[in-house]
Amino acid sequence: MLARVAENIYWLSRYLERAENTVRLVDVHSRMLLDLPDVADHVGWIPLISINALDEEFAKNNGIASEQNVCDFMIADNENTGSLHNTFVAIQNNLRSCRDIVPRTSYEAINSACLFVRKKVSKAAMTPGQRSELLGDVRSRLLAISGEINSSMFHDEGYRFMRLGCDIERADMTSRIIDVQSAWLTLGDGGSGLENIAFQQQRWLSVLHTLSAVQMYRQHVRTPINGEDTLRFLLHDSKLPRSYRFCIEHLDNTLAQFNQHEKPRAAIVQLREQLLAADLAELAQTPIELHRFIDALQQSLQTVSSAIAQTYFLPPQET
Amino acid sequence: MRNRWSDYQSPGFDELIQADGQARPFAHKVASWLNDLSPEDLSSREHAAQLAIAQMGITFTVYSDKGNIDREWPLDIIPRVIDANEWREIEKGLKQRLQALNMFIHDLYNDQAILNDNIVPRQLIETSSNFRPECIGMNPPHQVWAHICGSDLVRGEDGTVYVLEDNLRVPSGVSYMIENREVMKRALPEVFRQSHILPVDTYPSDLRATLSSLTDVKNPTIGVLTPGVFNSAYFEHSYLAQQMGAELVEGRDLVVDSDGYVNMLTVDGPQPIHVIYRRVDDEFIDPECFNENSTLGVKGLMKAWRDGKVAIANAPGAGVADDKVVYSYVPDIIRYYLNEEPLLQNVPTYRCENTEEREHVLNNLDSLVVKPANESGGYGMLIGPMSTPEEQADMAKNIKDNPRNYIGQPTLTLSTAPTLCDDTFKARHIDLRPFVLQGESIKVTTGGLTRVALREGSLIVNSSQGGGSKDTWVVEFDHPSMSQSQSQTQSSVVESDQPDLEPVQTPPPASSKE
């Protein structure tokens, strides 16, 4: 497979996963806030911006983080590089360059989703109901695409690059969602009052919700929802599809199938050690430590993705 | 129900409807089927076709000041129908023409017999911007230079088919020919069951066979060399790569190694590539040899080709026969090499280089079509009857400054075909671009891409300038299974669809001797 095309197909997959994450975040977050009528609009909505590290970009054109502002920004804003709209623009651009590799039926599914988003997403204010319907539609399309690719694409290098892109993006998103939670938890009064415990529980519950993991937590962890167990479930569990460990082990398995894989796999070994060495009880108690830990994980993941780029993709063009 | 065809009128020859208002016999079925559609049904079919085009991502790229944008491919759902008997004659003529053209190109870069015998003036070739001295002495496989040719055919008022031009550099449009058929099958499935329409979708495998015949390597790696995602024909490049199982490569994906072979940069390092179907013009394929500023090409590619280490289609230098002045000599070229009379007519052409003919062109700018010798896409031409005095004066100056570079032709009233315009059928001018493949053997597409000028009276069919397209049906009108089909339909409802499943009889395969 051509190195240039491999890079396009890898990014196509990353953006598809990113679109799904954005849909999931906005949707789950809106629903969660319905349970917290007392939280001020701004305090409630700003985490969506922070998860995606878009605080600066948001501040450029927006004042307060109202529901309307944040949702427009995350869904429709064509100046926000991370908006759903622009994610689909990136999907379409990458799709162009690997059109000859993607199965025709998958191409049509992805292309139709791009046309759908372009047509439906506008800056015109959406009611929460309309928004939820739109996000649901986009999500079904993305799931259909993922199924379509899995069942019709030849499971060779091209498919493996899609897997790599998807797992990296997924691991990254799981860590971001936990990270924002650490920022939230510092907002608590730090006391051990009942109110604070309830508040903390609510926060961790929302993290689990965002990652579609509540039901699985209840079935497999069984303890009342708390910080340490939630962190263990989301970071260390080896069967939960969005847990950090699951993603990087998957990543490693995929890499093992390539002819050349030493550099990126060496980077994963390091990342894995770092992940498993964490004292989760301690991290659950000290939000600032949790933030530092997640930060370090993200840097190591970045090392993995650079190693992938150096090993397989076309070197940047000399100018 | 009202007859849709009763007030239909063509300014010239119509491909579907005769002067008496009746459909031509071979188009009778589709004409009556179209007539029976309710207005709602007609517009819902049109809508279905547009939706299919959007979903399938059939686009072409237009360069504008806002950057490059993808436009959805314009397809008119009323097909253009050709009688298979007529088509077989056209096919023979195209094969004859391309064979002669390839012998001509090979001669120009080798013995130059045709120049020495003064059939084609030496000066004309030596001043052609598409003649490449770098190619002199080359002996490509099968002595074929133009492997893929798109010749534009038009029909005049009296029904004669003319060749308007031969595109021997990087002709495009074949992917739209195939996709038009796919879309039509989605939008009008019933008609396909009633008519004997010859299939068009063997082209990608024929192209692959043609390209494979250019190398001794068994099951070679083929690359489609594209200028990139912003090229107007990028859709076609990726389509053909996908359909042929070829790699879609850009110049930056290729390197020539120290042994002089061409390699593509893959995730497992450099891998050999054996045949390059290049969709980049000659002058950009190798910065070492031609345009040194080109970023689209590959350094050392020309040397690799000259040394026989890679095959390139079309061969560099093939465009010399694409020159519109050379075009005027094609009948002589056919007679010279094949000792046959041309089966397809050329449009009468005045060469501005010749003093008398130039005077005739300059005196008749308001009625002639004037074309520059080496442009494509309809650029730089003057259509006399539709031009302003200022445009004519500009053209007169161009001709006087560079007479070698211009030809004049009478303005033909191109034939028309019914086209859906605001829910009614209107006559619009059309042309036809069939594609001819030549490698070890020679093969012509069944029909080709029909382009239609969507504005009333317009003769410009180029999609970059507001043209549309039609699916082109070559139909077996007196095919034996047609009558069988009808009788079975009457006798047995259950088996009525059986005859349609029979293999369609295609013209006999071409042999290399042809």
Side-chain angles (χ1 to χ4, degrees):
Chain A
M1 158 163 279
L2 286 176
R4 175 180 53 79
V5 176
E7 184 166 4
N8 284 124
I9 209 161
Y10 167 84
W11 279 104
L12 171 67
S13 173
R14 283 197 72 158
Y15 282 117
L16 282 168
E17 179 65 22
R18 195 171 295 179
E20 195 189 325
N21 286 328
T22 304
V23 165
R24 177 190 303 278
L25 277 172
V26 176
D27 199 27
V28 172
H29 201 82
S30 333
R31 265 188 267 166
M32 186 198 76
L33 284 180
L34 298 179
D35 291 336
L36 299 168
D38 298 336
V39 173
D41 223 16
H42 184 80
V43 178
W45 282 97
I46 200 73
L48 265 191
I49 306 293
S50 310
I51 284 178
N52 294 289
L54 291 168
D55 302 73
E56 266 179 52
E57 248 180 288
F58 182 77
K60 253 188 271 168
N61 292 318
N62 294 281
I64 189 162
S66 64
E67 174 174 356
Q68 193 67 56
N69 285 348
V70 171
C71 289
D72 279 352
F73 181 75
M74 290 304 297
I75 294 174
D77 196 333
N78 52 22
E79 284 176 34
N80 167 17
T81 48
S83 71
L84 193 64
H85 174 268
N86 279 336
T87 304
F88 272 94
V89 169
I91 287 170
Q92 206 161 22
N93 286 340
N94 280 288
L95 184 62
R96 280 177 78 104
S97 303
C98 49
R99 182 170 188 157
D100 53 321
I101 304 293
V102 176
R104 206 177 159 136
T105 41
S106 311
Y107 173 88
E108 278 192 35
I110 301 172
N111 186 52
S112 302
C114 293
L115 297 175
F116 176 81
V117 169
R118 201 195 303 161
K119 195 172 143 205
K120 295 279 171 149
V121 166
S122 64
K123 265 222 135 172
M126 268 181 273
T127 66
Q130 289 167 330
R131 187 173 67 225
S132 174
E133 191 186 329
L134 170 72
L135 294 174
D137 287 346
V138 175
R139 193 167 167 182
S140 328
R141 280 172 182 267
L142 287 164
L143 290 172
I145 288 167
S146 147
E148 170 53 53
I149 287 172
N150 192 43
S151 60
S152 71
M153 193 165 174
F154 200 61
H155 283 214
D156 66 349
E157 277 169 334
Y159 180 78
R160 294 205 285 273
F161 278 109
M162 293 206 91
R163 295 289 345 150
L164 293 185
C166 174
D167 286 328
I168 288 215
E169 193 68 28
R170 232 175 234 188
D172 185 56
M173 185 52 71
T174 298
S175 71
R176 279 172 193 278
I177 289 168
I178 295 172
D179 192 25
V180 167
Q181 214 48 45
S182 68
W184 262 87
L185 293 168
T186 53
L187 288 176
D189 59 9
S192 56
L194 270 182
E195 218 170 279
N196 194 43
I197 289 170
F199 179 79
Q200 290 223 8
Q201 261 199 2
Q202 193 64 45
R203 304 273 64 73
W204 289 114
L205 180 65
S206 87
V207 174
L208 289 167
H209 262 304
T210 313
L211 295 167
S212 309
V214 178
Q215 187 184 351
M216 290 179 263
Y217 181 97
R218 296 224 158 98
Q219 282 170 356
H220 300 286
V221 184
R222 298 186 183 172
T223 58
I225 289 172
N226 66 80
E228 187 186 339
D229 286 333
T230 304
L231 281 180
R232 182 164 296 114
F233 195 50
L234 296 181
L235 290 173
H236 287 177
D237 193 88
S238 57
K239 295 192 188 68
L240 179 72
R242 288 180 183 275
S243 96
Y244 204 87
R245 181 175 176 182
F246 184 97
C247 293
I248 64 172
E249 282 180 354
H250 230 235
L251 198 60
D252 192 50
N253 289 341
T254 309
L255 283 166
Q257 297 169 46
F258 284 95
N259 293 337
Q260 295 181 56
H261 51 61
E262 276 165 37
K263 250 188 162 179
R265 290 189 78 194
I268 290 183
V269 169
Q270 266 202 333
L271 174 61
R272 195 166 179 278
E273 276 172 13
Q274 199 178 346
L275 176 73
L276 297 180
D279 179 350
L280 299 178
E282 166 72 12
L283 293 181
Q285 292 307 316
T286 25
I288 186 72
E289 286 304 317
L290 181 58
H291 173 70
R292 283 192 193 129
F293 170 73
I294 296 285
D295 211 36
L297 272 191
Q298 283 174 346
Q299 281 176 22
S300 300
L301 189 68
Q302 184 54 45
T303 310
V304 175
S305 72
S306 308
I308 289 175
Q310 283 164 17
T311 309
Y312 307 114
F313 303 153
L314 219 52
Q317 265 185 305
E318 298 158 36
T319 43
Chain B
M1 183 185 282
R2 185 178 79 91
N3 185 348
R4 281 203 169 89
W5 301 115
S6 56
D7 45 4
Y8 177 80
Q9 268 194 332
S10 167
F13 182 100
D14 193 85
E15 299 282 343
L16 211 66
I17 305 296
Q18 298 170 164
D20 62 4
Q22 296 294 309
R24 295 188 187 280
F26 56 85
H28 181 76
K29 282 200 169 175
V30 65
S32 74
W33 187 82
L34 284 166
N35 190 50
D36 292 345
L37 279 185
S38 70
E40 297 74 32
D41 211 4
L42 192 62
S43 82
S44 86
R45 303 299 176 121
E46 191 184 26
H47 188 73
Q50 282 164 357
L51 188 70
I53 287 168
Q55 285 184 343
M56 291 160 76
I58 310 173
T59 57
F60 68 107
T61 310
V62 190
Y63 185 77
S64 77
D65 15 319
K66 285 183 202 154
N68 292 282
I69 38 166
D70 282 345
R71 288 231 188 109
E72 272 146 29
W73 176 249
L75 168 67
D76 179 71
I77 59 166
I78 305 179
R80 183 254 186 92
V81 187
I82 304 176
D83 181 353
N85 291 323
E86 183 185 23
W87 181 252
R88 280 187 273 272
E89 296 306 309
I90 294 175
E91 190 181 13
K92 273 186 213 154
L94 287 167
K95 286 181 177 174
Q96 177 197 51
R97 197 171 171 100
L98 194 68
Q99 268 180 309
L101 283 169
N102 269 313
M103 293 170 84
F104 171 65
I105 303 169
H106 191 70
D107 187 26
L108 288 184
Y109 289 115
N110 286 279
D111 302 339
Q112 302 201 327
I114 199 167
L115 306 185
N116 296 335
D117 289 342
N118 289 318
I119 307 293
V120 174
R122 177 175 296 277
Q123 216 242 339
L124 172 68
I125 300 304
E126 288 176 349
T127 55
S128 166
S129 58
N130 286 313
F131 181 72
R132 309 262 174 239
E134 296 86 350
C135 300
I136 288 175
M138 268 301 285
N139 185 18
H142 320 296
Q143 304 193 342
V144 170
W145 293 66
H147 311 93
I148 299 105
C149 168
S151 291
D152 290 345
L153 304 182
V154 295
R155 199 196 291 273
E157 247 168 309
D158 63 353
T160 310
V161 172
Y162 297 97
V163 178
L164 194 59
E165 58 185 57
D166 304 291
N167 296 286
L168 299 166
R169 286 176 282 182
V170 287
S172 60
V174 74
S175 58
Y176 301 113
M177 171 189 87
I178 307 168
E179 291 290 63
N180 279 355
R181 179 63 54 85
E182 271 309 300
V183 172
M184 291 287 280
K185 283 181 181 166
R186 290 193 191 189
L188 285 77
E190 312 89 329
V191 200
F192 282 86
R193 304 196 60 76
Q194 297 175 8
S195 315
H196 238 281
I197 306 160
L198 300 185
V200 294
D201 54 5
T202 59
Y203 184 83
S205 39
D206 295 337
L207 178 59
R208 187 172 174 104
T210 300
L211 295 171
S212 300
S213 78
L214 307 182
T215 174
D216 294 333
V217 178
K218 287 255 180 306
N219 207 4
T221 300
I222 298 173
V224 177
L225 178 62
T226 174
V229 293
F230 297 118
N231 185 270
S232 61
Y234 179 77
F235 165 79
E236 176 153 307
H237 306 160
S238 64
Y239 178 87
L240 290 175
Q242 181 193 47
Q243 296 290 311
M244 277 198 292
E247 302 285 341
L248 181 63
V249 296
E250 295 179 16
R252 58 189 161 128
D253 296 320
L254 301 180
V255 287
V256 176
D257 66 19
S258 52
D259 296 329
Y261 287 92
V262 183
N263 284 266
M264 54 181 184
L265 301 172
T266 77
V267 293
D268 292 321
Q271 301 282 336
I273 192 161
H274 309 107
V275 182
I276 295 177
Y277 174 27
R278 50 103 178 189
R279 296 294 298 256
V280 175
D281 277 328
D282 277 1
E283 48 194 313
F284 296 106
I285 59 172
D286 184 354
E288 210 170 80
C289 200
F290 302 118
N291 187 338
E292 61 181 50
N293 297 320
S294 169
T295 53
L296 305 175
V298 187
K299 244 187 213 164
L301 185 59
M302 272 299 282
K303 187 170 184 313
W305 176 67
R306 288 201 56 114
D307 293 345
K309 289 174 172 167
V310 70
I312 301 180
N314 286 351
V320 65
D322 198 313
D323 184 304
K324 291 190 180 65
V325 187
V326 172
Y327 158 87
S328 70
Y329 288 94
V330 172
D332 299 326
I333 290 172
I334 293 172
R335 290 184 197 106
Y336 182 77
Y337 292 107
L338 301 176
N339 204 15
E340 291 169 7
E341 274 307 299
L343 299 171
L344 287 171
Q345 303 286 308
N346 252 20
V347 180
T349 302
Y350 305 100
R351 303 161 186 148
C352 292
E353 196 178 22
N354 174 305
T355 316
E356 270 175 42
E357 296 181 26
R358 178 167 66 244
E359 283 311 306
H360 178 80
V361 172
L362 289 171
N363 290 333
N364 293 283
L365 283 173
D366 57 347
S367 66
L368 297 175
V369 174
V370 183
K371 297 173 180 173
N374 285 300
E375 291 287 336
S376 58
Y379 292 102
M381 62 188 274
L382 177 88
I383 299 178
M386 289 164 199
S387 63
T388 64
E390 291 76 30
E391 287 166 340
Q392 291 168 24
D394 286 348
M395 184 52 89
K397 183 173 182 308
N398 289 343
I399 293 173
K400 285 174 195 159
D401 288 350
N402 190 359
R404 151 71 179 85
N405 202 36
Y406 289 92
I407 54 141
Q409 292 171 338
T411 307
L412 297 179
T413 303
L414 304 187
S415 65
T416 58
T419 301
L420 192 55
C421 302
D422 300 326
D423 299 335
T424 54
F425 297 163
K426 290 282 187 333
R428 292 290 181 264
H429 295 293
I430 59 173
D431 78 349
L432 178 66
R433 177 176 286 183
F435 294 84
V436 191
L437 293 173
Q438 187 174 1
E440 198 173 17
S441 58
I442 186 163
K443 188 153 186 187
V444 182
T445 51
T446 310
L449 176 66
T450 294
R451 299 184 297 177
V452 51
L454 294 174
R455 266 179 301 121
E456 186 172 5
S458 168
L459 297 171
I460 309 272
V461 296
N462 305 76
S463 50
S464 53
Q465 300 188 39
S469 73
K470 285 172 167 293
D471 190 16
T472 309
W473 293 1
V474 175
V475 296
E476 292 281 9
F477 168 55
D478 43 11
H479 192 276
S481 75
M482 289 295 286
S483 46
Q484 197 187 350
S485 159
Q486 282 162 350
S487 63
Q488 286 213 356
T489 310
Q490 283 157 9
S491 62
S492 158
V493 177
V494 181
E495 287 175 346
S496 66
D497 58 358
Q498 287 297 321
D500 284 334
L501 300 175
E502 283 175 15
V504 173
Q505 188 188 336
T506 47
S511 80
S512 55
K513 275 173 289 176
E514 275 186 84

